[in-house]
Tab-separated table of all heavy atoms in Angstrom:
chain	number	residue	atom	x	y	z
W	271	ARG	N	6.527	-2.746	-9.600
W	271	ARG	CA	6.130	-3.157	-8.273
W	271	ARG	C	6.759	-4.518	-7.968
W	271	ARG	O	6.725	-5.427	-8.785
W	271	ARG	CB	4.611	-3.262	-8.307
W	271	ARG	CG	3.954	-3.557	-7.019
W	271	ARG	CD	2.441	-3.516	-7.264
W	271	ARG	NE	1.722	-3.826	-6.071
W	271	ARG	CZ	0.983	-4.940	-5.918
W	271	ARG	NH1	0.885	-5.790	-6.904
W	271	ARG	NH2	0.344	-5.153	-4.799
W	273	ILE	N	7.095	-8.251	-6.281
W	273	ILE	CA	6.111	-9.302	-6.044
W	273	ILE	C	5.624	-9.189	-4.597
W	273	ILE	O	6.425	-9.060	-3.669
W	273	ILE	CB	6.747	-10.689	-6.288
W	273	ILE	CG1	7.193	-10.809	-7.750
W	273	ILE	CG2	5.777	-11.802	-5.925
W	273	ILE	CD1	7.985	-12.082	-8.046
W	274	ARG	N	4.313	-9.192	-4.425
W	274	ARG	CA	3.751	-9.136	-3.068
W	274	ARG	C	3.230	-10.515	-2.684
W	274	ARG	O	2.496	-11.141	-3.443
W	274	ARG	CB	2.595	-8.138	-3.020
W	274	ARG	CG	2.975	-6.801	-2.414
W	274	ARG	CD	1.858	-5.812	-2.568
W	274	ARG	NE	0.975	-5.732	-1.421
W	274	ARG	CZ	1.197	-4.943	-0.368
W	274	ARG	NH1	2.271	-4.197	-0.314
W	274	ARG	NH2	0.337	-4.907	0.626
W	275	VAL	N	3.637	-10.943	-1.492
W	275	VAL	CA	3.320	-12.301	-1.055
W	275	VAL	C	2.632	-12.259	0.306
W	275	VAL	O	3.047	-11.504	1.187
W	275	VAL	CB	4.617	-13.146	-0.907
W	275	VAL	CG1	4.287	-14.600	-0.612
W	275	VAL	CG2	5.489	-13.032	-2.148
W	276	LEU	N	1.590	-13.040	0.464
W	276	LEU	CA	0.974	-13.223	1.781
W	276	LEU	C	1.328	-14.622	2.257
W	276	LEU	O	1.102	-15.601	1.547
W	276	LEU	CB	-0.548	-13.079	1.678
W	276	LEU	CG	-1.333	-13.272	2.982
W	276	LEU	CD1	-1.110	-12.094	3.924
W	276	LEU	CD2	-2.819	-13.427	2.702
W	277	ILE	N	1.931	-14.704	3.447
W	277	ILE	CA	2.217	-16.004	4.051
W	277	ILE	C	1.207	-16.204	5.179
W	277	ILE	O	1.137	-15.386	6.104
W	277	ILE	CB	3.654	-16.058	4.629
W	277	ILE	CG1	4.696	-15.797	3.530
W	277	ILE	CG2	3.907	-17.401	5.321
W	277	ILE	CD1	4.872	-16.916	2.531
W	278	ALA	N	0.430	-17.254	5.084
W	278	ALA	CA	-0.652	-17.443	6.051
W	278	ALA	C	-0.564	-18.816	6.697
W	278	ALA	O	-0.364	-19.826	6.033
W	278	ALA	CB	-1.998	-17.280	5.351
W	292	LEU	N	10.690	-18.655	5.631
W	292	LEU	CA	10.347	-18.370	4.237
W	292	LEU	C	10.047	-16.872	4.054
W	292	LEU	O	10.464	-16.265	3.066
W	292	LEU	CB	9.139	-19.208	3.800
W	292	LEU	CG	8.756	-19.041	2.330
W	292	LEU	CD1	9.880	-19.525	1.413
W	292	LEU	CD2	7.458	-19.778	1.999
W	296	LEU	N	12.075	-14.635	1.342
W	296	LEU	CA	11.399	-13.948	0.233
W	296	LEU	C	11.666	-12.444	0.296
W	296	LEU	O	11.853	-11.788	-0.726
W	296	LEU	CB	9.893	-14.228	0.255
W	296	LEU	CG	9.482	-15.691	0.038
W	296	LEU	CD1	7.971	-15.848	0.141
W	296	LEU	CD2	9.975	-16.217	-1.306
W	301	MET	N	11.146	-9.301	-2.318
W	301	MET	CA	9.678	-9.271	-2.350
W	301	MET	C	9.114	-8.550	-1.127
W	301	MET	O	9.789	-8.382	-0.124
W	301	MET	CB	9.128	-10.709	-2.389
W	301	MET	CG	9.672	-11.506	-3.573
W	301	MET	SD	8.996	-13.187	-3.622
W	301	MET	CE	10.237	-13.983	-4.661
W	302	GLU	N	7.861	-8.128	-1.252
W	302	GLU	CA	7.144	-7.582	-0.099
W	302	GLU	C	6.323	-8.709	0.496
W	302	GLU	O	5.482	-9.291	-0.184
W	302	GLU	CB	6.214	-6.450	-0.531
W	302	GLU	CG	6.962	-5.220	-0.986
W	302	GLU	CD	6.059	-4.070	-1.392
W	302	GLU	OE1	4.821	-4.192	-1.271
W	302	GLU	OE2	6.598	-3.058	-1.854
W	303	VAL	N	6.619	-9.024	1.741
W	303	VAL	CA	5.998	-10.197	2.339
W	303	VAL	C	5.144	-9.802	3.538
W	303	VAL	O	5.626	-9.155	4.464
W	303	VAL	CB	7.055	-11.217	2.794
W	303	VAL	CG1	6.387	-12.553	3.080
W	303	VAL	CG2	8.139	-11.388	1.743
W	304	ILE	N	3.905	-10.178	3.500
W	304	ILE	CA	2.986	-9.914	4.602
W	304	ILE	C	2.757	-11.233	5.325
W	304	ILE	O	2.409	-12.238	4.700
W	304	ILE	CB	1.652	-9.356	4.071
W	304	ILE	CG1	1.887	-8.010	3.376
W	304	ILE	CG2	0.641	-9.207	5.197
W	304	ILE	CD1	1.428	-7.973	1.969
W	315	VAL	N	-7.908	-15.414	5.768
W	315	VAL	CA	-6.844	-15.415	4.753
W	315	VAL	C	-7.351	-14.770	3.463
W	315	VAL	O	-6.662	-13.946	2.843
W	315	VAL	CB	-6.342	-16.855	4.482
W	315	VAL	CG1	-5.329	-16.863	3.353
W	315	VAL	CG2	-5.743	-17.451	5.750
W	316	VAL	N	-8.573	-15.107	3.074
W	316	VAL	CA	-9.148	-14.518	1.852
W	316	VAL	C	-9.242	-13.006	2.016
W	316	VAL	O	-8.852	-12.232	1.128
W	316	VAL	CB	-10.546	-15.122	1.558
W	316	VAL	CG1	-11.244	-14.349	0.451
W	316	VAL	CG2	-10.411	-16.596	1.188
W	319	ALA	N	-5.850	-11.433	1.757
W	319	ALA	CA	-5.350	-11.458	0.369
W	319	ALA	C	-6.029	-10.372	-0.460
W	319	ALA	O	-5.399	-9.736	-1.309
W	319	ALA	CB	-5.581	-12.830	-0.247
W	320	ILE	N	-7.310	-10.146	-0.200
W	320	ILE	CA	-8.035	-9.079	-0.910
W	320	ILE	C	-7.417	-7.726	-0.569
W	320	ILE	O	-7.020	-6.959	-1.440
W	320	ILE	CB	-9.531	-9.058	-0.505
W	320	ILE	CG1	-10.264	-10.293	-1.018
W	320	ILE	CG2	-10.209	-7.777	-1.009
W	320	ILE	CD1	-11.692	-10.420	-0.499
W	323	ASP	N	-3.894	-7.077	-1.718
W	323	ASP	CA	-3.715	-7.227	-3.169
W	323	ASP	C	-2.416	-7.950	-3.504
W	323	ASP	O	-1.561	-7.427	-4.217
W	323	ASP	CB	-3.757	-5.855	-3.864
W	323	ASP	CG	-3.866	-6.007	-5.391
W	323	ASP	OD1	-4.409	-7.017	-5.847
W	323	ASP	OD2	-3.400	-5.110	-6.115
W	324	VAL	N	-2.294	-9.169	-2.975
W	324	VAL	CA	-1.057	-9.916	-3.191
W	324	VAL	C	-1.088	-10.660	-4.526
W	324	VAL	O	-2.148	-10.954	-5.069
W	324	VAL	CB	-0.807	-10.918	-2.041
W	324	VAL	CG1	-0.482	-10.172	-0.762
W	324	VAL	CG2	-1.981	-11.857	-1.836
W	325	ASP	N	0.114	-10.948	-5.007
W	325	ASP	CA	0.251	-11.738	-6.233
W	325	ASP	C	0.360	-13.224	-5.901
W	325	ASP	O	0.041	-14.077	-6.722
W	325	ASP	CB	1.534	-11.328	-6.977
W	325	ASP	CG	1.600	-9.822	-7.186
W	325	ASP	OD1	0.695	-9.281	-7.823
W	325	ASP	OD2	2.556	-9.191	-6.682
W	326	VAL	N	0.889	-13.488	-4.701
W	326	VAL	CA	1.199	-14.857	-4.312
W	326	VAL	C	0.660	-15.101	-2.905
W	326	VAL	O	0.762	-14.231	-2.032
W	326	VAL	CB	2.736	-15.091	-4.310
W	326	VAL	CG1	3.066	-16.528	-3.924
W	326	VAL	CG2	3.344	-14.740	-5.664
W	327	LEU	N	0.104	-16.285	-2.708
W	327	LEU	CA	-0.346	-16.676	-1.375
W	327	LEU	C	0.353	-17.971	-1.004
W	327	LEU	O	0.264	-18.970	-1.726
W	327	LEU	CB	-1.872	-16.875	-1.382
W	327	LEU	CG	-2.497	-17.511	-0.140
W	327	LEU	CD1	-2.214	-16.684	1.105
W	327	LEU	CD2	-4.005	-17.672	-0.340
W	328	GLY	N	1.087	-17.938	0.120
W	328	GLY	CA	1.733	-19.136	0.635
W	328	GLY	C	0.952	-19.640	1.831
W	328	GLY	O	0.817	-18.936	2.827
W	329	LEU	N	0.402	-20.836	1.720
W	329	LEU	CA	-0.397	-21.395	2.810
W	329	LEU	C	0.430	-22.442	3.530
W	329	LEU	O	1.060	-23.285	2.896
W	329	LEU	CB	-1.652	-22.053	2.236
W	329	LEU	CG	-2.708	-21.122	1.643
W	329	LEU	CD1	-3.755	-21.938	0.895
W	329	LEU	CD2	-3.350	-20.295	2.742
W	330	SER	N	0.412	-22.377	4.833
W	330	SER	CA	1.183	-23.341	5.598
W	330	SER	C	0.303	-23.994	6.650
W	330	SER	O	-0.493	-23.334	7.316
W	330	SER	CB	2.358	-22.634	6.273
W	330	SER	OG	2.833	-23.416	7.355
W	340	PHE	N	-7.363	-25.498	2.860
W	340	PHE	CA	-6.761	-24.843	1.707
W	340	PHE	C	-7.773	-24.688	0.561
W	340	PHE	O	-7.873	-23.603	-0.031
W	340	PHE	CB	-5.509	-25.596	1.225
W	340	PHE	CG	-4.315	-25.491	2.145
W	340	PHE	CD1	-4.413	-24.894	3.396
W	340	PHE	CD2	-3.079	-25.991	1.760
W	340	PHE	CE1	-3.317	-24.810	4.245
W	340	PHE	CE2	-1.970	-25.907	2.601
W	340	PHE	CZ	-2.093	-25.322	3.835
W	343	VAL	N	-9.934	-21.709	1.052
W	343	VAL	CA	-9.284	-20.429	0.732
W	343	VAL	C	-9.356	-20.182	-0.776
W	343	VAL	O	-9.725	-19.090	-1.236
W	343	VAL	CB	-7.803	-20.428	1.188
W	343	VAL	CG1	-7.093	-19.175	0.701
W	343	VAL	CG2	-7.715	-20.557	2.704
W	344	ILE	N	-9.046	-21.234	-1.537
W	344	ILE	CA	-9.019	-21.094	-3.001
W	344	ILE	C	-10.411	-20.734	-3.532
W	344	ILE	O	-10.559	-19.836	-4.361
W	344	ILE	CB	-8.480	-22.387	-3.643
W	344	ILE	CG1	-7.017	-22.592	-3.205
W	344	ILE	CG2	-8.590	-22.341	-5.154
W	344	ILE	CD1	-6.454	-23.959	-3.529
W	345	GLU	N	-11.433	-21.408	-2.989
W	345	GLU	CA	-12.808	-21.088	-3.400
W	345	GLU	C	-13.156	-19.642	-3.068
W	345	GLU	O	-13.775	-18.947	-3.867
W	345	GLU	CB	-13.800	-22.010	-2.690
W	345	GLU	CG	-13.877	-23.402	-3.287
W	345	GLU	CD	-14.458	-24.412	-2.289
W	345	GLU	OE1	-15.243	-23.992	-1.411
W	345	GLU	OE2	-14.092	-25.594	-2.388
W	347	LEU	N	-11.180	-17.087	-2.789
W	347	LEU	CA	-10.496	-16.144	-3.687
W	347	LEU	C	-11.170	-16.120	-5.056
W	347	LEU	O	-11.370	-15.054	-5.648
W	347	LEU	CB	-9.021	-16.526	-3.836
W	347	LEU	CG	-8.162	-16.316	-2.586
W	347	LEU	CD1	-6.763	-16.870	-2.798
W	347	LEU	CD2	-8.098	-14.827	-2.222
W	348	ARG	N	-11.541	-17.305	-5.545
W	348	ARG	CA	-12.202	-17.352	-6.858
W	348	ARG	C	-13.536	-16.632	-6.813
W	348	ARG	O	-13.932	-15.981	-7.779
W	348	ARG	CB	-12.398	-18.814	-7.282
W	348	ARG	CG	-11.077	-19.437	-7.728
W	348	ARG	CD	-11.252	-20.867	-8.167
W	348	ARG	NE	-9.965	-21.425	-8.584
W	348	ARG	CZ	-9.692	-22.712	-8.631
W	348	ARG	NH1	-10.608	-23.606	-8.299
W	348	ARG	NH2	-8.499	-23.122	-9.029
W	351	GLY	N	-13.150	-13.179	-7.572
W	351	GLY	CA	-12.461	-12.897	-8.833
W	351	GLY	C	-10.956	-12.844	-8.722
W	351	GLY	O	-10.286	-12.302	-9.600
W	352	LEU	N	-10.406	-13.404	-7.635
W	352	LEU	CA	-8.952	-13.363	-7.468
W	352	LEU	C	-8.337	-14.746	-7.694
W	352	LEU	O	-7.357	-15.127	-7.051
W	352	LEU	CB	-8.587	-12.818	-6.083
W	352	LEU	CG	-8.954	-11.344	-5.871
W	352	LEU	CD1	-8.614	-10.904	-4.452
W	352	LEU	CD2	-8.246	-10.430	-6.878
W	353	GLY	N	-8.909	-15.469	-8.650
W	353	GLY	CA	-8.394	-16.802	-8.969
W	353	GLY	C	-7.030	-16.788	-9.624
W	353	GLY	O	-6.405	-17.831	-9.799
W	354	ASP	N	-6.541	-15.590	-9.997
W	354	ASP	CA	-5.222	-15.533	-10.646
W	354	ASP	C	-4.068	-15.454	-9.652
W	354	ASP	O	-2.901	-15.463	-10.044
W	354	ASP	CB	-5.156	-14.363	-11.636
W	354	ASP	CG	-5.356	-13.003	-10.960
W	354	ASP	OD1	-5.921	-12.969	-9.840
W	354	ASP	OD2	-4.960	-11.985	-11.542
W	355	ILE	N	-4.358	-15.364	-8.362
W	355	ILE	CA	-3.276	-15.358	-7.365
W	355	ILE	C	-2.576	-16.713	-7.391
W	355	ILE	O	-3.221	-17.747	-7.401
W	355	ILE	CB	-3.843	-15.068	-5.950
W	355	ILE	CG1	-4.387	-13.634	-5.869
W	355	ILE	CG2	-2.791	-15.323	-4.874
W	355	ILE	CD1	-5.023	-13.286	-4.532
W	356	LEU	N	-1.231	-16.674	-7.408
W	356	LEU	CA	-0.451	-17.916	-7.383
W	356	LEU	C	-0.504	-18.495	-5.971
W	356	LEU	O	-0.162	-17.800	-5.009
W	356	LEU	CB	0.999	-17.630	-7.778
W	356	LEU	CG	1.947	-18.836	-7.731
W	356	LEU	CD1	1.695	-19.762	-8.916
W	356	LEU	CD2	3.406	-18.366	-7.722
W	357	ILE	N	-0.921	-19.742	-5.857
W	357	ILE	CA	-1.029	-20.343	-4.532
W	357	ILE	C	-0.013	-21.463	-4.378
W	357	ILE	O	0.051	-22.379	-5.196
W	357	ILE	CB	-2.454	-20.862	-4.288
W	357	ILE	CG1	-3.406	-19.660	-4.323
W	357	ILE	CG2	-2.544	-21.581	-2.931
W	357	ILE	CD1	-4.843	-20.010	-4.253
W	358	VAL	N	0.813	-21.342	-3.338
W	358	VAL	CA	1.767	-22.392	-3.029
W	358	VAL	C	1.502	-22.849	-1.595
W	358	VAL	O	0.947	-22.097	-0.786
W	358	VAL	CB	3.232	-21.907	-3.182
W	358	VAL	CG1	3.534	-21.543	-4.632
W	358	VAL	CG2	3.530	-20.732	-2.266
W	359	ALA	N	1.878	-24.089	-1.324
W	359	ALA	CA	1.606	-24.633	0.005
W	359	ALA	C	2.878	-25.192	0.603
W	359	ALA	O	3.778	-25.632	-0.115
W	359	ALA	CB	0.539	-25.728	-0.090
W	360	GLY	N	2.935	-25.131	1.930
W	360	GLY	CA	4.084	-25.682	2.626
W	360	GLY	C	3.628	-26.354	3.905
W	360	GLY	O	2.465	-26.238	4.295
W	371	LEU	N	-4.451	-31.332	-3.647
W	371	LEU	CA	-4.360	-29.867	-3.551
W	371	LEU	C	-4.037	-29.258	-4.914
W	371	LEU	O	-4.550	-28.198	-5.270
W	371	LEU	CB	-3.300	-29.457	-2.520
W	371	LEU	CG	-3.663	-29.701	-1.051
W	371	LEU	CD1	-2.494	-29.324	-0.146
W	371	LEU	CD2	-4.906	-28.910	-0.656
W	372	LYS	N	-3.190	-29.945	-5.665
W	372	LYS	CA	-2.839	-29.418	-6.991
W	372	LYS	C	-4.070	-29.406	-7.890
W	372	LYS	O	-4.279	-28.466	-8.665
W	372	LYS	CB	-1.704	-30.232	-7.606
W	372	LYS	CG	-0.363	-29.849	-6.976
W	372	LYS	CD	0.814	-30.511	-7.657
W	372	LYS	CE	2.110	-30.029	-6.993
W	372	LYS	NZ	3.274	-30.764	-7.480
W	374	ALA	N	-6.978	-28.936	-6.810
W	374	ALA	CA	-7.832	-27.857	-6.293
W	374	ALA	C	-7.314	-26.472	-6.669
W	374	ALA	O	-8.023	-25.480	-6.491
W	374	ALA	CB	-7.956	-27.980	-4.778
W	375	GLY	N	-6.070	-26.403	-7.166
W	375	GLY	CA	-5.577	-25.098	-7.595
W	375	GLY	C	-4.296	-24.628	-6.940
W	375	GLY	O	-3.851	-23.507	-7.171
W	376	VAL	N	-3.684	-25.479	-6.109
W	376	VAL	CA	-2.382	-25.133	-5.531
W	376	VAL	C	-1.317	-25.401	-6.593
W	376	VAL	O	-1.257	-26.483	-7.162
W	376	VAL	CB	-2.103	-25.969	-4.266
W	376	VAL	CG1	-0.684	-25.747	-3.766
W	376	VAL	CG2	-3.112	-25.626	-3.175
W	377	ALA	N	-0.487	-24.400	-6.875
W	377	ALA	CA	0.473	-24.525	-7.970
W	377	ALA	C	1.659	-25.402	-7.590
W	377	ALA	O	2.231	-26.079	-8.428
W	377	ALA	CB	0.962	-23.149	-8.399
W	378	ALA	N	2.059	-25.358	-6.321
W	378	ALA	CA	3.212	-26.153	-5.900
W	378	ALA	C	3.097	-26.453	-4.419
W	378	ALA	O	2.562	-25.643	-3.654
W	378	ALA	CB	4.512	-25.395	-6.178
W	379	VAL	N	3.592	-27.589	-4.036
W	379	VAL	CA	3.646	-27.957	-2.620
W	379	VAL	C	5.112	-28.090	-2.230
W	379	VAL	O	5.839	-28.892	-2.805
W	379	VAL	CB	2.901	-29.288	-2.359
W	379	VAL	CG1	3.068	-29.710	-0.907
W	379	VAL	CG2	1.429	-29.140	-2.723
W	380	PHE	N	5.529	-27.228	-1.296
W	380	PHE	CA	6.915	-27.261	-0.831
W	380	PHE	C	6.960	-28.051	0.483
W	380	PHE	O	6.689	-27.496	1.537
W	380	PHE	CB	7.462	-25.852	-0.606
W	380	PHE	CG	7.401	-24.964	-1.843
W	380	PHE	CD1	6.945	-23.659	-1.749
W	380	PHE	CD2	7.795	-25.448	-3.090
W	380	PHE	CE1	6.905	-22.833	-2.874
W	380	PHE	CE2	7.752	-24.636	-4.213
W	380	PHE	CZ	7.296	-23.330	-4.105
W	388	THR	N	14.743	-23.105	-4.161
W	388	THR	CA	13.727	-23.706	-5.027
W	388	THR	C	12.406	-22.946	-4.908
W	388	THR	O	11.760	-22.618	-5.916
W	388	THR	CB	13.501	-25.194	-4.620
W	388	THR	OG1	14.751	-25.868	-4.659
W	388	THR	CG2	12.508	-25.871	-5.545
W	389	SER	N	12.006	-22.663	-3.669
W	389	SER	CA	10.743	-21.952	-3.446
W	389	SER	C	10.786	-20.566	-4.074
W	389	SER	O	9.835	-20.137	-4.742
W	389	SER	CB	10.469	-21.826	-1.945
W	389	SER	OG	10.587	-23.091	-1.318
W	390	ILE	N	11.905	-19.872	-3.863
W	390	ILE	CA	12.039	-18.507	-4.393
W	390	ILE	C	11.984	-18.529	-5.914
W	390	ILE	O	11.268	-17.733	-6.541
W	390	ILE	CB	13.355	-17.861	-3.903
W	390	ILE	CG1	13.276	-17.584	-2.400
W	390	ILE	CG2	13.639	-16.564	-4.664
W	390	ILE	CD1	14.617	-17.254	-1.774
W	391	ALA	N	12.727	-19.474	-6.501
W	391	ALA	CA	12.777	-19.542	-7.965
W	391	ALA	C	11.394	-19.838	-8.530
W	391	ALA	O	10.967	-19.227	-9.523
W	391	ALA	CB	13.776	-20.623	-8.402
W	392	PHE	N	10.658	-20.736	-7.883
W	392	PHE	CA	9.325	-21.082	-8.376
W	392	PHE	C	8.410	-19.857	-8.329
W	392	PHE	O	7.689	-19.552	-9.284
W	392	PHE	CB	8.719	-22.213	-7.531
W	392	PHE	CG	7.387	-22.666	-8.069
W	392	PHE	CD1	7.314	-23.673	-9.023
W	392	PHE	CD2	6.195	-22.063	-7.645
W	392	PHE	CE1	6.079	-24.072	-9.542
W	392	PHE	CE2	4.972	-22.454	-8.170
W	392	PHE	CZ	4.920	-23.464	-9.126
W	393	ILE	N	8.457	-19.152	-7.220
W	393	ILE	CA	7.579	-17.977	-7.066
W	393	ILE	C	7.941	-16.905	-8.091
W	393	ILE	O	7.066	-16.325	-8.736
W	393	ILE	CB	7.662	-17.440	-5.617
W	393	ILE	CG1	6.952	-18.420	-4.674
W	393	ILE	CG2	7.052	-16.049	-5.513
W	393	ILE	CD1	7.124	-18.119	-3.210
W	394	LYS	N	9.244	-16.679	-8.260
W	394	LYS	CA	9.659	-15.644	-9.222
W	394	LYS	C	9.201	-16.001	-10.627
W	394	LYS	O	8.803	-15.138	-11.407
W	394	LYS	CB	11.182	-15.483	-9.196
W	394	LYS	CG	11.652	-14.608	-8.059
W	394	LYS	CD	13.120	-14.228	-8.210
W	394	LYS	CE	13.496	-13.154	-7.214
W	394	LYS	NZ	14.960	-13.012	-7.087
W	395	GLU	N	9.243	-17.294	-10.939
W	395	GLU	CA	8.890	-17.697	-12.291
W	395	GLU	C	7.387	-17.656	-12.530
W	395	GLU	O	6.930	-17.303	-13.624
W	395	GLU	CB	9.428	-19.105	-12.574
W	395	GLU	CG	9.310	-19.468	-14.049
W	395	GLU	CD	9.749	-20.894	-14.334
W	395	GLU	OE1	10.530	-21.449	-13.530
W	395	GLU	OE2	9.285	-21.435	-15.353
W	396	HIS	N	6.612	-17.994	-11.515
W	396	HIS	CA	5.180	-18.182	-11.748
W	396	HIS	C	4.269	-17.082	-11.216
W	396	HIS	O	3.067	-17.106	-11.493
W	396	HIS	CB	4.741	-19.531	-11.156
W	396	HIS	CG	5.345	-20.695	-11.881
W	396	HIS	ND1	6.495	-21.321	-11.446
W	396	HIS	CD2	4.995	-21.325	-13.028
W	396	HIS	CE1	6.818	-22.296	-12.273
W	396	HIS	NE2	5.926	-22.315	-13.252
W	397	ALA	N	4.813	-16.156	-10.437
W	397	ALA	CA	3.955	-15.089	-9.909
W	397	ALA	C	3.325	-14.321	-11.066
W	397	ALA	O	4.017	-13.982	-12.027
W	397	ALA	CB	4.772	-14.146	-9.033
W	398	PRO	N	2.034	-14.061	-11.008
W	398	PRO	CA	1.403	-13.331	-12.110
W	398	PRO	C	1.954	-11.913	-12.192
W	398	PRO	O	1.990	-11.200	-11.199
W	398	PRO	CB	-0.084	-13.320	-11.727
W	398	PRO	CG	-0.111	-13.551	-10.261
W	398	PRO	CD	1.099	-14.360	-9.924
W	399	ARG	N	2.441	-11.523	-13.350
W	399	ARG	CA	3.043	-10.195	-13.473
W	399	ARG	C	2.220	-9.263	-14.356
W	399	ARG	O	2.519	-8.092	-14.456
W	399	ARG	CB	4.466	-10.305	-14.045
W	399	ARG	CG	5.406	-11.108	-13.186
W	399	ARG	CD	5.461	-10.644	-11.747
W	399	ARG	NE	6.135	-9.365	-11.573
W	399	ARG	CZ	5.928	-8.558	-10.543
W	399	ARG	NH1	5.027	-8.863	-9.636
W	399	ARG	NH2	6.592	-7.443	-10.432
W	400	ASN	N	1.246	-9.788	-15.009
W	400	ASN	CA	0.443	-8.905	-15.863
W	400	ASN	C	-1.013	-8.935	-15.443
W	400	ASN	O	-1.907	-9.124	-16.241
W	400	ASN	CB	0.570	-9.344	-17.329
W	400	ASN	CG	1.974	-9.107	-17.829
W	400	ASN	OD1	2.507	-8.010	-17.676
W	400	ASN	ND2	2.584	-10.126	-18.382
W	401	ARG	N	-1.212	-8.749	-14.150
W	401	ARG	CA	-2.584	-8.803	-13.650
W	401	ARG	C	-3.331	-7.585	-14.139
W	401	ARG	O	-2.786	-6.508	-14.290
W	401	ARG	CB	-2.562	-8.857	-12.131
W	401	ARG	CG	-1.728	-10.026	-11.649
W	401	ARG	CD	-1.739	-10.137	-10.161
W	401	ARG	NE	-3.061	-10.517	-9.712
W	401	ARG	CZ	-3.445	-10.409	-8.445
W	401	ARG	NH1	-2.644	-9.901	-7.551
W	401	ARG	NH2	-4.641	-10.776	-8.095
I	147	ARG	N	-6.752	-2.904	-5.343
I	147	ARG	CA	-6.032	-2.777	-6.613
I	147	ARG	C	-5.681	-1.316	-6.886
I	147	ARG	O	-4.622	-1.003	-7.407
I	147	ARG	CB	-6.863	-3.369	-7.752
I	147	ARG	CG	-6.151	-3.486	-9.087
I	147	ARG	CD	-4.897	-4.351	-9.065
I	147	ARG	NE	-5.053	-5.684	-8.507
I	147	ARG	CZ	-5.425	-6.765	-9.180
I	147	ARG	NH1	-5.674	-6.691	-10.453
I	147	ARG	NH2	-5.536	-7.930	-8.589
Side-chain angles (χ1 to χ4, degrees):
Chain W
R271 185 176 179 247
I273 298 173
R274 259 172 95 87
V275 187
L276 179 71
I277 301 288
L292 183 63
L296 296 178
M301 303 181 200
E302 291 181 3
V303 194
I304 297 123
V315 175
V316 170
I320 292 173
D323 192 28
V324 291
D325 308 301
V326 181
L327 170 59
L329 291 170
S330 160
F340 289 7
V343 173
I344 296 168
E345 282 159 28
L347 291 174
R348 285 181 180 158
L352 293 178
D354 61 339
I355 293 177
L356 177 75
I357 297 174
V358 296
L371 288 177
K372 283 187 178 172
V376 173
V379 175
F380 302 135
T388 305
S389 309
I390 291 167
F392 184 89
I393 289 172
K394 279 192 169 165
E395 191 184 337
H396 293 96
R399 299 307 289 156
N400 293 309
R401 304 182 68 195
Chain I
R147 189 59 52 88

